[in-house]
């Protein structure tokens, strides 16, 4: 299936075994900026995953959902969190979603949730008022956390990559809850540092940094 999708340029493979990401045919010609940020961000995602031995995701906002457009899956840990490229999560219930919503005007967010929101777990925000409070915190702190809000037993942190004034992407680190609660500060510091480096590289038009992973 992956081979057939590659032939149609729907996905791109590598670098490294088992790694795939969305290709230009899937994203379409209007997504050139997202492919640019995907290319620039990739080495930083690899570096972050290698350093933490955790999965790292890159996602964008599509309506009320986030869509994963790239992933570096870490399998060094016996217990690890992996979704898949192309998977969709409700934005209000996950860290990258809250980061991406926080980059949108308040009126746009209000329109998106005029019909309410679904509860994914007992920890998911229940209404627009709670979501607004979360988004205010994200804007102040510069990152978002998801503490078992989308899936029981899985937490995550995320921060923003500013593609341009209209588009953004989010880098996130999903972590099994038992590891996350023991070392939350480490993951927050790592995601902020990573996204700061990507934003600097993207705004400067720099070539992607060399990956430390073969």
């Amino acid at each position: 299936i992956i081979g057939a999708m590659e032939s149609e340029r729907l996905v791109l493979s590598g670098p490294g075994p088992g790694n795939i990401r969305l290709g230009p045919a899937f994203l379409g010609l209007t997504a050139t900026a997202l492919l640019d940020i995907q290319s620039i961000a990739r080495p930083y995602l690899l570096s972050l995953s290698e350093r933490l031995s955790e999965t790292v995701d890159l996602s964008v906002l599509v309506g009320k959902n986030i869509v994963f457009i790239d992933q570096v899956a870490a399998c060094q840990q016996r217990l690890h969190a992996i979704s898949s490229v192309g998977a969709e999560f409700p934005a209000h219930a996950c860290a990258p979603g809250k980061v991406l919503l926080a980059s949108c005007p308040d009126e746009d967010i209000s329109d998106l949730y005029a019909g309410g929101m679904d509860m994914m777990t007992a920890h998911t925000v229940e209404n627009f008022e709670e979501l607004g409070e979360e988004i205010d915190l994200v804007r102040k702190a510069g990152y978002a956390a998801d503490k078992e809000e989308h899936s029981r037993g899985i937490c995550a942190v995320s921060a923003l990559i500013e593609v341009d004034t209209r588009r953004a992407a989010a880098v996130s680190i999903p972590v099994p809850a038992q590891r996350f609660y023991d070392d939350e500060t480490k993951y927050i510091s790592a995601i902020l540092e990573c996204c700061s480096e990507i934003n600097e590289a993207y705004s400067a038009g720099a070539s992607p940094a060399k990956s430390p992973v073969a």
Side-chain angles (χ1 to χ4, degrees):
I1 293 173
I2 295 299
M5 294 178 72
E6 277 191 281
S7 68
E8 297 297 328
R9 303 195 71 197
L10 291 168
V11 298
L12 304 173
S13 63
N19 288 315
I20 62 168
R21 44 198 167 132
L22 298 188
F26 187 95
L27 294 172
L29 295 176
T30 59
T32 302
L34 293 180
L35 286 175
D36 287 345
I37 197 62
Q38 188 179 23
S39 175
I40 289 174
R42 181 72 181 183
Y44 296 95
L45 307 187
L46 286 163
S47 178
L48 182 60
S49 177
E50 176 75 4
R51 178 156 57 96
L52 297 178
S53 297
E54 300 288 358
T55 296
V56 178
D57 295 314
L58 181 68
S59 55
V60 295
L61 185 66
V62 180
K64 293 196 294 184
N65 295 328
I66 61 112
V67 178
F68 294 104
I69 63 171
D70 203 359
Q71 180 180 86
V72 179
C75 301
Q76 300 96 323
Q77 304 274 8
R78 180 174 298 180
L79 183 63
H80 52 272
I82 297 178
S83 53
S84 61
V85 172
E88 298 184 8
F89 283 10
H92 70 281
C94 63
K98 288 189 283 186
V99 161
L100 290 164
L101 287 172
S103 71
C104 299
D106 288 338
E107 57 269 25
D108 290 353
I109 303 171
S110 178
D111 290 344
L112 283 175
Y113 293 100
M117 56 193 66
D118 296 328
M119 291 288 292
M120 306 300 294
T121 74
H123 302 285
T124 310
V125 293
E126 296 187 24
N127 52 57
F128 184 74
E129 182 179 356
E130 286 188 8
L131 179 62
E133 292 173 356
E134 286 272 336
I135 287 173
D136 286 342
L137 291 174
V138 172
R139 288 169 176 164
K140 291 174 183 176
Y143 72 91
D146 157 15
K147 299 182 180 180
E148 302 183 73
E149 294 166 42
H150 178 267
S151 303
R152 290 184 62 185
I154 301 295
C155 299
V157 291
S158 181
L160 192 72
I161 301 172
E162 299 174 4
V163 179
D164 57 36
T165 56
R166 295 176 296 108
R167 287 166 290 190
V171 178
S172 55
I173 310 169
V175 184
Q178 63 192 61
R179 285 205 301 275
F180 181 83
Y181 293 131
D182 286 342
D183 223 344
E184 181 177 349
T185 303
K186 178 182 75 173
Y187 295 112
I188 294 171
S189 176
I191 200 71
L192 289 172
E193 180 182 354
C194 177
C195 287
S196 176
E197 290 174 351
I198 297 172
N199 278 317
E200 184 177 349
Y202 189 78
S203 62
S207 298
K210 291 185 179 180
S211 167
V213 183

